[in-house]
Amino acid sequence: MTEVTEQEQSIAEKEALIASDDNSDEAVKAKEQAIYQLGELYALRREGDKLAALLASLRPFFATIPKARTAKVVRVLIDSMAKIPDSMSLQMSLCLESIEWCKAEKRSFLRQRIQTRLAALYLESKQYTEGLSLLADLQREVKRLDDKPLLVEINLVESQTHYALRNLPKAKAALTAARTAANAIYCPPLLQAQIDVMAGTLHAEEKDFKTAFSYFYESFENFDSVSSKRAVDCLKYMLLCKIMMNAPEDVTAIINGKPGIRHTGPALEAMRAVASAHQQRSLHDFQAALDHHQSQLRADPVVSRHLSSLYDLLMQENIRRIIEPYSIVEISHIASLMKLPLETIEAKLSQMILDKKFRGILDAGAGCLIVYASQDADTAYELALETLNNMGCVVDALHAKAQKLGPTTGNAPVKA
């Protein structure tokens, strides 16, 4: 109770300081610090409406301070709003109001940065069409100004948006543009880490997990250097790459190493459980790990997508090992050995037959799988075509040589 009273008293003092008419240099600096502290207090108390009202009430004060400091104050208050849980709609409305104010006051520098933040919020709220439309207009404007630091952020958000839409070619193109712009300037560690995470994610999509691991390691070091919470996510992606590279034994080495000990927690335990299940080739343990660590595995789209493909591969390996000795086997027998529903096994067998993983048919009436012996492909047709092609090349070469020799000179008249 006393703590709440102290907070309210502190808020009242800071509001009074901000509302004072003193505009001397010392007073302006004190007001700026009070604004930052008041924003943190509102975020701590989850009072998003008061935070939005604070930003609106500061607009007369912004006329008395330089534009660069105004931009910093606005960005810090929007960041404070982001710390409030479930405040997505409030953040978006705050950004939209600030953009309209920037247009009225002709503050292009600040407007462009708030629009970039709004595009990131559109991405987070899955409003991809609005985000891409905003980014396209913003990109044209910023390219004319050659503002490379902002261009890096715009291209990075564009790449993330295209990736969310599963448009990988455009995601790669936008990321390449972001890295090109970043190479021409000093790139802060946090921004460079975000670029490396995106690069690692795209390489993982192409199944190049070795390169993806190196990018995730670089991003982990950058996030870790500034004590960012995202370092744990990068470490989790590094472990995922090791699992997908069929090296689950390396997962234990990384977790027991210095980075793993420093960031120990539910995320690393989840990856340890997945690695153990993969090493044992146990579908049951794998599914148990996914269910037990749902918030760490299924909630993360990058991890979830790759673990789904890994689960399919494990299921196929287990099915092939079971049916290998048989020519006819009951589907229910396969389901009982794998401890999975009969419908799931039937669907997976149908998919494997269509994908030509093995030769066979499903006898639905008898409830059996009939497996055919693998046969070597008859290559006579391909070899015959290759022979005819080679003969054609020989005839063409002989014809070309005959043309070069010209007519015979055996019957030419002899001069006297």
Side-chain angles (χ1 to χ4, degrees):
M1 188 71 179
T2 309
E3 187 179 346
V4 174
T5 308
E6 287 177 359
Q7 280 186 359
E8 288 175 352
Q9 186 178 353
S10 177
I11 287 171
E13 289 173 359
K14 287 173 175 55
E15 286 175 345
L17 174 61
I18 294 166
S20 67
D21 296 330
D22 189 358
N23 289 326
S24 62
D25 289 344
E26 291 78 8
V28 167
K29 286 180 182 177
K31 284 182 181 180
E32 193 176 338
Q33 290 303 315
I35 289 166
Y36 297 150
Q37 291 166 6
L38 191 57
E40 287 294 328
L41 281 171
Y42 283 148
L44 189 65
R45 292 160 64 93
R46 301 187 178 184
E47 296 176 343
D49 294 332
K50 288 187 178 180
L51 193 53
L54 172 65
L55 185 56
S57 67
L58 288 173
R59 284 167 188 169
F61 171 67
F62 290 152
T64 64
I65 62 174
K67 289 184 177 180
R69 290 174 77 176
T70 300
K72 182 183 177 184
V73 170
V74 172
R75 289 207 300 271
V76 168
L77 288 180
I78 292 173
D79 288 340
S80 298
M81 180 73 84
K83 295 176 184 177
I84 302 174
D86 303 321
S87 63
M88 183 68 67
S89 58
L90 270 174
Q91 291 180 61
M92 292 171 72
S93 63
L94 190 63
C95 287
L96 289 167
E97 288 172 13
S98 300
I99 289 166
E100 291 303 318
W101 176 76
C102 290
K103 287 178 179 176
E105 295 291 322
K106 297 182 180 178
R107 295 177 181 248
S108 300
F109 178 85
L110 178 57
R111 173 182 56 78
Q112 290 160 359
R113 275 147 184 80
I114 297 175
Q115 284 179 320
T116 306
R117 180 60 176 270
L118 181 60
L121 290 172
Y122 279 142
L123 167 64
E124 199 173 338
S125 60
K126 299 183 179 181
Q127 300 181 40
Y128 304 126
T129 306
E130 293 86 346
L132 288 174
S133 175
L134 177 61
L135 287 169
D137 296 336
L138 191 57
Q139 198 172 43
R140 280 193 295 271
E141 184 181 353
V142 174
K143 273 183 178 177
R144 287 199 299 270
L145 299 172
D146 198 29
D147 186 351
K148 283 189 165 49
L150 183 57
L151 202 57
V152 172
E153 294 181 30
I154 292 169
N155 285 322
L156 181 59
V157 175
E158 185 186 4
S159 177
Q160 292 167 342
T161 307
H162 283 305
Y163 173 74
L165 290 168
R166 310 298 300 148
N167 191 340
L168 298 184
K170 285 192 176 181
K172 286 179 68 178
L175 182 64
T176 302
R179 292 172 72 178
T180 303
N183 288 336
I185 58 168
Y186 166 72
C187 196
L190 273 177
L191 187 58
Q192 184 61 53
Q194 290 174 359
I195 292 171
D196 288 337
V197 167
M198 196 64 221
T201 303
L202 291 175
H203 277 286
E205 286 291 332
E206 296 174 343
K207 309 299 181 188
D208 185 3
F209 293 106
K210 189 174 182 181
T211 308
F213 178 86
S214 64
Y215 276 116
F216 288 136
Y217 181 74
E218 290 292 332
S219 60
F220 167 75
E221 288 196 324
N222 279 322
F223 279 130
D224 198 37
S225 66
V226 293
S227 302
S228 172
K229 292 180 180 178
R230 290 204 63 188
V232 179
D233 290 334
C234 294
L235 190 55
K236 187 165 68 173
Y237 297 154
M238 287 163 57
L239 299 177
L240 174 67
C241 289
K242 286 296 183 184
I243 294 169
M244 298 304 292
M245 288 161 64
N246 205 19
E249 62 279 356
D250 291 348
V251 171
T252 306
I254 294 172
I255 291 174
N256 293 334
K258 192 183 292 184
I261 293 170
R262 195 163 58 248
H263 296 281
T264 186
L268 301 193
E269 289 305 315
M271 298 312 294
R272 190 201 295 271
V274 171
S276 175
H278 180 249
Q279 198 165 17
Q280 300 296 326
R281 293 286 189 266
S282 171
L283 274 177
H284 183 70
D285 292 349
F286 195 94
Q287 189 63 49
L290 291 179
D291 294 337
H292 185 65
H293 302 281
Q294 204 159 18
S295 60
Q296 298 295 332
L297 301 176
R298 293 190 189 277
D300 190 322
V302 176
V303 175
S304 177
R305 187 173 293 115
H306 290 294
L307 290 186
S308 295
S309 64
L310 184 62
Y311 182 81
D312 283 344
L313 285 174
L314 278 178
M315 186 185 286
Q316 289 181 21
E317 286 178 11
N318 278 269
I319 288 174
R320 277 191 289 207
R321 189 168 64 243
I322 290 170
I323 67 174
E324 189 176 5
Y326 300 101
S327 58
I328 301 176
V329 58
E330 289 184 355
I331 301 171
S332 58
H333 177 64
I334 301 173
S336 65
L337 287 176
M338 296 185 66
K339 298 178 183 177
L340 289 172
L342 185 65
E343 295 79 12
T344 305
I345 297 298
E346 282 184 350
K348 179 52 69 175
L349 287 171
S350 300
Q351 182 187 341
M352 290 176 70
I353 291 169
L354 291 172
D355 291 343
K356 298 182 179 178
K357 300 295 182 183
F358 65 89
R359 296 178 69 248
I361 59 169
L362 286 172
D363 188 343
C368 293
L369 170 70
I370 301 171
V371 184
Y372 299 137
S374 59
Q375 294 179 347
D376 295 331
D378 189 358
T379 57
Y381 179 71
E382 287 79 5
L383 292 173
L385 283 179
E386 187 180 353
T387 303
L388 289 171
N389 186 44
N390 290 336
M391 288 296 295
C393 292
V394 170
V395 172
D396 289 341
L398 289 173
H399 180 70
K401 285 188 177 182
Q403 290 291 330
K404 286 180 182 178
L405 291 173
T408 57
T409 56
N411 299 325
V414 179
K415 291 184 180 180

